[in-house]
Amino acid sequence: MRLIATVVLALVIFAGIPPVQGEEGKTGLTSVALTVHGMMCSSCQKSVEKALFKLEGITDVKVDMKKNLVEVRYDGKKATPRQMVEALEKAGFRSKLPN
Ligand SMILES: [Cu+2]
């Protein structure tokens, strides 16, 4: 019975039913703290968040304006810190990868 269940499950998967969302990316999930200059108010904070969330694979953005730090949680298979810095520069914020 177990074998049949396995075969049926395999058939269902091969039939193209998408796997549960988010399950696949979990293994690649990581975070990075970027240094971002030029954030003065909550509107800047929103711009930073918006610029980052435009990228694929970004799951969480935490802005610390006092420390000029932006912590980003992301799927390492879909996004890179370099892309984040580029996106932030485009949005008008000087930013740097962690040393
Ligand atoms: Cu501002």
Side-chain angles (χ1 to χ4, degrees):
M1 272 315 276
R2 183 158 287 180
L3 180 68
I4 291 167
T6 307
V7 170
V8 169
L9 184 66
L11 285 175
V12 167
I13 290 167
F14 283 120
I17 293 168
V20 180
Q21 266 286 310
E23 198 65 25
E24 192 190 4
K26 259 181 197 160
T27 49
L29 214 57
T30 182
S31 69
V32 64
L34 302 169
T35 305
V36 181
H37 294 282
M39 297 184 292
M40 307 295 220
C41 64
S42 57
S43 158
C44 296
Q45 185 174 337
K46 287 259 160 61
S47 304
V48 164
E49 287 168 358
K50 212 174 130 190
L52 289 170
F53 276 123
K54 262 187 205 165
L55 298 171
E56 206 193 332
I58 307 294
T59 60
D60 193 32
V61 177
K62 241 189 239 163
V63 177
D64 188 333
M65 270 193 278
K66 281 181 194 158
K67 292 181 185 165
N68 288 325
L69 277 179
V70 176
E71 197 184 324
V72 186
R73 277 180 70 73
Y74 65 101
D75 184 340
K77 289 177 187 163
K78 292 178 183 165
T80 66
R82 191 162 297 277
Q83 287 175 326
M84 296 169 204
V85 166
E86 276 167 21
L88 289 169
E89 298 275 347
K90 255 184 219 164
F93 299 95
R94 221 154 41 76
S95 40
K96 231 174 67 174
L97 297 170
N99 294 320

